[in-house]
Amino acid sequence: MKRTRAQFVTILAAVLVPALTHAGKGEEILQSQCSSCHALSKPEDTSLDRLLNRKGPDLYYAGVKFNKEWLVRWLQAPTRIRPAGVMYRKVVKAGPAGSADVVDESLLPSHMKLSAEDAAAAAEALAALGADSPLVTKGAFKGGAPNVMMASLLFNKLRGCSSCHAAKPGEPPHSGPELYTAGDRLKPDFVAEYIRDPQKFDPHIWMPKLELNDGDIQKLTGYLMTLKQEGGK
Amino acid sequence: MKTLACSLTVLLGALGASVSMAADEPSPQAVKLYDTYCVQCHGVNRDGNGINSATMAVKPRDHTDSKAMGDTPDDLLFKAIKSGGLSVSKSVLMPTWGGVLTDDEIRLLVQYLRFVSKTQSTTNQ
């Protein structure tokens, strides 16, 4: 009797434990290795000071922001997304007289790398973070192929997005994240919602809420989704 | 102690804001706002040479230029910041900040621009 119960417990444990650790592994990685720099739940403090002092971008709505496949790849081989860091002002200094400010590269550390296994687990956990966040409405991007010529004109000239964002690699550093991997990295509904109202995500973020109509937002989102570096198409 | 220091700062900030200009010291709140939102284009030295200016088709205004800044009245500076370059017949590359900054914060910035450009407050006549 005693023996059977012990056996049963062992079997139960053998079945349950791997399942638990598998689901929990990514979360465990996030908590132990990432939470010192990234907010994994919505911060109570929404002040400008919090934003100025945070060490990394917020990840509490990662589930509605990132493509999971991109996360798995990037976490193993991170590239720079924000050429002037998470808060540009702390990293830029005056350039030679009469020319643009420059980035002090020594102030930009490289991002930590994860093994393939850990990256997959962390990406899984990130994909679940805020997956039902009210910040992003399903269908915000209505789809459809953009007129790339017209949309890039909007991006580069008419709406002034290119002041702060690079649409192709190799440009001098800007204050905002690069967008030449936007199509690999970001979900279209997030992009549409962010362009419409950046302050919905961070009440004090230094991307302005621009005067854009829904047509602009759809065209710009469609255009950004065509910007990819990985695996082409 | 910390709270005392805090309330002193707030008090000083409020006092600073009520002295209309000719202040020797800029309001720390205005400096913080300018450093967060404006330096990306207008530059660490406030002279239009921000990190973003390298690729911009229209150069951001040099806020240390006493002549040009002196010729621009307060309400136009306010409008340019709140509603963007287009609203004052300037370039769209000067964005609209009304969705991020409150009117009080924008007024603080206008006052700060007077400090940076060493010009006097002027109104449209």
Side-chain angles (χ1 to χ4, degrees):
Chain A
M1 189 52 211
K2 222 174 175 180
R3 189 151 163 240
T4 352
R5 199 198 283 155
Q7 262 175 353
F8 177 69
V9 169
T10 318
I11 291 167
L12 198 71
V15 172
L16 277 180
V17 171
L20 279 176
T21 46
H22 184 72
K25 186 173 176 221
E27 280 163 43
E28 208 278 314
I29 292 173
L30 293 188
Q31 287 302 339
S32 64
Q33 300 184 47
C34 323
S35 63
S36 56
C37 296
H38 294 288
L40 301 175
S41 55
K42 192 174 181 339
E44 273 169 37
D45 180 0
T46 55
S47 68
L48 175 57
D49 285 330
R50 202 285 298 187
L51 209 55
L52 294 176
N53 293 323
R54 67 181 178 176
K55 296 205 188 84
D58 296 346
L59 292 178
Y60 68 88
Y61 52 87
V64 288
K65 176 168 177 175
F66 299 106
N67 285 325
K68 197 164 88 184
E69 300 70 34
W70 175 84
L71 282 172
V72 175
R73 286 191 302 258
W74 189 85
L75 289 170
Q76 295 173 69
T79 50
R80 188 150 292 154
I81 300 167
R82 293 164 185 75
V86 69
M87 202 298 140
Y88 75 94
R89 181 62 189 90
K90 296 184 169 172
V91 177
V92 300
K93 55 185 186 193
S99 54
D101 292 348
V102 293
V103 168
D104 183 345
E105 292 284 337
S106 72
L107 297 175
L108 286 179
S110 317
H111 198 273
M112 67 184 294
K113 282 192 176 91
L114 295 181
S115 67
E117 195 190 325
D118 285 358
E124 193 71 46
L126 284 172
L129 271 190
D132 52 1
S133 169
L135 287 170
V136 172
T137 311
K138 264 210 173 62
F141 175 56
K142 302 194 178 84
N147 174 338
V148 171
M149 270 246 295
M150 183 57 210
S152 84
L153 194 67
L154 276 179
F155 187 87
N156 291 303
K157 299 237 152 51
L158 304 176
R159 302 294 178 263
C161 316
S162 62
S163 300
C164 305
H165 296 286
K168 51 180 191 309
E171 287 187 23
H174 297 268
S175 57
E178 55 83 0
L179 292 176
Y180 49 79
T181 65
D184 300 317
R185 201 154 52 85
L186 304 170
K187 289 188 191 280
D189 288 342
F190 163 81
V191 170
E193 296 274 21
Y194 199 93
I195 300 173
R196 188 189 315 278
D197 187 2
Q199 281 68 40
K200 188 163 79 168
F201 293 81
D202 281 310
H204 302 287
I205 195 69
W206 36 97
M207 166 160 161
K209 179 174 177 175
L210 297 168
E211 265 156 29
L212 303 169
N213 58 38
D214 194 53
D216 292 340
I217 292 165
Q218 298 302 326
K219 287 183 197 119
L220 286 164
T221 305
Y223 167 68
L224 292 175
M225 289 300 105
T226 68
L227 304 180
K228 298 183 177 193
Q229 300 296 312
E230 283 164 349
K233 297 27 71 209
Chain B
M1 204 44 221
K2 208 165 174 188
T3 355
L4 184 65
C6 257
S7 34
L8 265 178
T9 319
V10 170
L11 193 71
L12 286 175
L15 280 176
S18 66
V19 182
S20 75
M21 89 225 88
D24 310 328
E25 286 291 321
S27 129
Q29 176 64 6
V31 174
K32 187 195 276 186
L33 292 174
Y34 193 99
D35 275 341
T36 305
Y37 301 102
C38 318
V39 163
Q40 48 187 329
C41 292
H42 291 280
V44 170
N45 291 333
R46 281 84 169 118
D47 58 0
N49 288 313
I51 184 95
N52 292 333
S53 69
T55 59
M56 289 172 64
V58 178
K59 197 170 185 230
R61 167 69 73 84
D62 176 355
H63 288 152
T64 65
D65 178 347
S66 305
K67 175 72 183 77
M69 291 300 289
D71 288 347
T72 316
D74 283 9
D75 52 353
L76 228 71
L77 293 177
F78 182 92
K79 200 169 170 197
I81 301 168
K82 180 165 178 157
S83 312
L86 283 183
S87 76
V88 294
S89 315
K90 291 277 161 69
S91 169
V92 67
L93 298 187
M94 165 63 193
T96 53
W97 291 104
V100 198
L101 302 172
T102 64
D103 284 5
D104 281 345
E105 288 171 329
I106 296 172
R107 273 190 280 273
L108 210 57
L109 280 168
V110 170
Q111 219 183 317
Y112 175 65
L113 290 175
R114 292 295 172 214
F115 171 83
V116 169
S117 61
K118 305 191 180 69
T119 56
Q120 305 288 306
S121 233
T122 51
T123 43
N124 239 344
Q125 57 291 76

